[in-house]
Amino acid sequence: MAPSPITALPQPPPWRRFTGDGFATRPNGDSGETARRIGTAAGRRHLSTPHEIAMVNAALYLRRPLLVTGRPGTGKSSLAYLIATELGLGPVLRWGITSRTTLIEGLYNYDAIGRVQAAGSRRGHEPDIGDFVHLGALGTALLPYEVPRVLLVDELDKGDIDLPNDLLSVFEDGEYEIPELVRIAKQQPEVTVFTHDKRGSAVIGDGWVQCRAFPVVIITSNGEREFPPAFLRRCLQLHLSPPGSEQLAAMVAAQFGGAAERVDVARLISEFLERSEAVGGLAADQLLNAVHLASELATSGAYQPDEEWNELMRAIWHPLSTAEPG
């Protein structure tokens, strides 16, 4: 996977080509979201194994979603930000899944009540319907961009059991309709709506959205339940193993640079890995919490890796599940 920004990908297979009408633009900045997720450029983690690189490239070439599994804290979500950064694809569109998430929420939201209230306060003036339509992360990713966006569907296994099947037709067809706009298409064929991007907007024609470049879809799962076979057939699958000492050291360097030089980072990483093995797995951000705390205490001269510190680390490096040993 090339580290420099791209302007186009190789042609997709004939069955994954889409011809969405219109033109959509994406913002360049992401308000620091990438730096918060994967650190600054110096020392930043890259795809670390040939298999990871091969699977990401396969998803790019085939225009298929990549289902990423692994224990919490293995860097599943950060993979989307790494891809977006290394390929210059702009801000990641993140769709966080909960037990109440529906497909429509991912596509768009229409504030009918808000429109009625606005109409009542503007007598004689009908408010523009586009002011009350807000595309979700999935809906924004399917706009007709020349170069694909990166869509992160985070923790799909937390969603309703029907959500993976609901996603199938959208992923297969690369399009969706907004019925509220379809109904007024003869009177108002083009409507400008809000997108998931900060201060973003897009023009929707005839109430339909179809992609031109299928988004790079990263779906994460902690393995809390299985997905339907029909859904799995349409995804490529990548399992991430927990990061080793070298990867953890790179993460620390990416986030802290030289700010942690007063701390014995190698020792913290070694102790973190021992604790992780003992309790059935820890998340990488739990290590980052420890490094930050140690760095702050070292600055004030209060950092002492004694028994009191070890007790604090046991509290910070707590098991990720109450079923796991303490």
Side-chain angles (χ1 to χ4, degrees), residues 296-312:
E296 291 298 311
L297 293 176
T299 300
S300 64
Y303 172 59
Q304 294 292 335
D306 50 19
E307 182 55 36
E308 184 177 348
W309 170 261
N310 294 334
E311 184 66 25
L312 178 60

Side-chain angles (χ1 to χ4, degrees), residues 16 18 142 168-176 210-211 214:
R16 297 296 293 163
F18 303 97
L142 292 172
L168 287 179
S169 61
V170 176
F171 285 156
E172 284 301 295
D173 300 336
E175 64 180 14
Y176 65 97
Q210 185 183 49
C211 69
F214 189 78

